[in-house]
Amino acid sequence: MVNSVISAFAPVCNRPEGPAALTHDHRYRNSDTSTGVAHVPGTRPHPGLVEHPFVSPEDQVTILTAVDEAVVAELGDLITALPHHPRPITAVLALVETGLLAVDFHAPFDSNVRIWRP
């Protein structure tokens, strides 16, 4: 473990608290104002970003792009769009749950079920 770091950022980096608020000039600051502007801003997710353990932002964009290109996509096509995803059906259904996608609930649930944007 490193006990000391020779850096101008060391006092800010070694504090357990992260950026806490957005200031009037849109810069993140630590709750301890004596340290100045934090060098690592906090994450502020986009309001349309799905927060699900099996849906990364990249997965969401990939799925939505495939649906947009097809207008009405089949589940099998969306699975193919995520070749290395451990649970692609779960990722697609997470977007259905949040309302970003719609699925044909009257059809059998298989690779041919149709998915579109509502």
Side-chain angles (χ1 to χ4, degrees), residues 17-96:
E17 66 272 10
L22 192 61
T23 62
H24 70 283
D25 60 351
H26 304 291
R27 294 183 299 165
Y28 286 92
R29 291 196 177 272
N30 285 334
S31 56
D32 179 5
T33 56
S34 66
T35 60
V37 176
H39 72 286
V40 178
T43 57
R44 290 174 31 117
H46 187 277
L49 185 63
V50 172
E51 293 188 38
H52 188 278
F54 288 104
V55 182
S56 70
E58 293 81 8
D59 297 335
Q60 180 175 337
V61 170
T62 300
I63 294 167
L64 294 178
T65 299
V67 171
D68 289 342
E69 288 174 357
V71 181
V72 176
E74 291 185 353
L75 180 60
D77 296 333
L78 299 179
I79 293 169
T80 303
L82 299 168
H84 302 292
H85 197 287
R87 295 182 68 183
I89 296 171
T90 302
V92 172
L93 291 179
L95 297 182
V96 170

Side-chain angles (χ1 to χ4, degrees), residues 97-112:
E97 261 183 32
T98 60
L100 289 175
L101 293 177
V103 64
D104 184 0
F105 287 109
H106 300 291
F109 190 80
D110 59 14
S111 65
N112 296 321

